[in-house]
Structure formats: C-alpha cells, structure tokens
C-alpha cells in the first residue's frame, strides 16, 4: 500500500493511476473518463475531483473545471490548490 502523503488516506486505485498516466500523456479526455470511473467505483476523494478539473482546464473547458474544483472543495474545504485554480480562471 502506498501513502501519497501523511495527510491522505492510502490510495491504491488502478483506475486512478491509469487516469494519471493518460493525463501525463496529454490524453485529457481519456483521463477525465477514467477519473470519473474511479469516482463511480470508489469513495470520492478531493484529489480525484481536482485532477478532473485540471484536465478540463487543459481542454479549455473552464466552466467544467470550476465545477470539479468546487466538488473537491466541498469534500475538503482546506484544499488550498482547489481554491486557487478557479480564482486564476476567473481573472480577465
């Protein structure tokens, strides 16, 4: 079992890791699909919503990105990056 950080629960999802691979390859549509699959089969984690948002942001689908950043914040109101990213998207 791998610990991502001392503050996070153990997270060993194969679909989450697969989605990360897609995102790292720049295949953001496939990454989103796979992250959403992770959310369907497992208990939602703020980091998963955050990564979905990042993928939407890379695709310039900013409204979708903001929606998923908000979902991450709802699960973890202290997730600073999830607060900052939507702020950057709304600056003209």
């Amino acid at each position: 079992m791998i610990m991502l950080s001392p503050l996070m629960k153990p997270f060993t999802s194969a679909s989450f890791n697969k989605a990360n691979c897609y995102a790292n390859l720049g295949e953001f549509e496939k990454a989103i699909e796979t992250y959403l699959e992770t959310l369907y089969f497992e208990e939602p984690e703020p980091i998963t919503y955050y990564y979905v948002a990042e993928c939407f942001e890379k695709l310039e689908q900013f409204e979708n990105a903001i929606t998923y950043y908000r979902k991450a914040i709802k699960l973890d109101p202290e997730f600073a990056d999830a607060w900052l990213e939507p702020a950057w998207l709304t600056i003209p």
Side-chain angles (χ1 to χ4, degrees):
M1 190 176 302
I2 299 171
M3 297 293 286
L4 294 179
S5 84
L7 301 175
M8 294 180 71
K9 298 178 203 171
F11 198 82
T12 59
S13 167
S15 61
F16 180 83
N17 292 332
K18 182 178 175 183
N20 285 341
C21 290
Y22 282 135
N24 289 331
L25 292 170
E27 296 185 32
F28 302 114
E29 294 92 353
K30 287 182 181 179
I32 291 167
E33 180 181 325
T34 310
Y35 284 128
L36 294 177
E37 178 182 295
T38 302
L39 290 165
Y40 179 79
F41 288 109
E42 300 179 14
E43 182 177 332
E45 295 283 343
I47 194 69
T48 309
Y49 284 125
Y50 179 81
Y51 287 151
V52 171
E54 280 193 331
C55 289
F56 276 123
E57 188 174 343
K58 297 284 187 187
L59 294 170
E60 297 184 3
Q61 295 182 24
F62 302 120
E63 291 299 320
N64 287 333
I66 290 169
T67 297
Y68 280 90
Y69 285 128
R70 288 180 179 155
K71 289 180 182 214
I73 291 165
K74 186 175 180 179
L75 288 180
D76 181 2
E78 295 182 19
F79 192 172
D81 287 342
W83 283 99
L84 292 173
E85 291 299 325
W88 286 112
L89 292 176
T90 58
I91 295 174

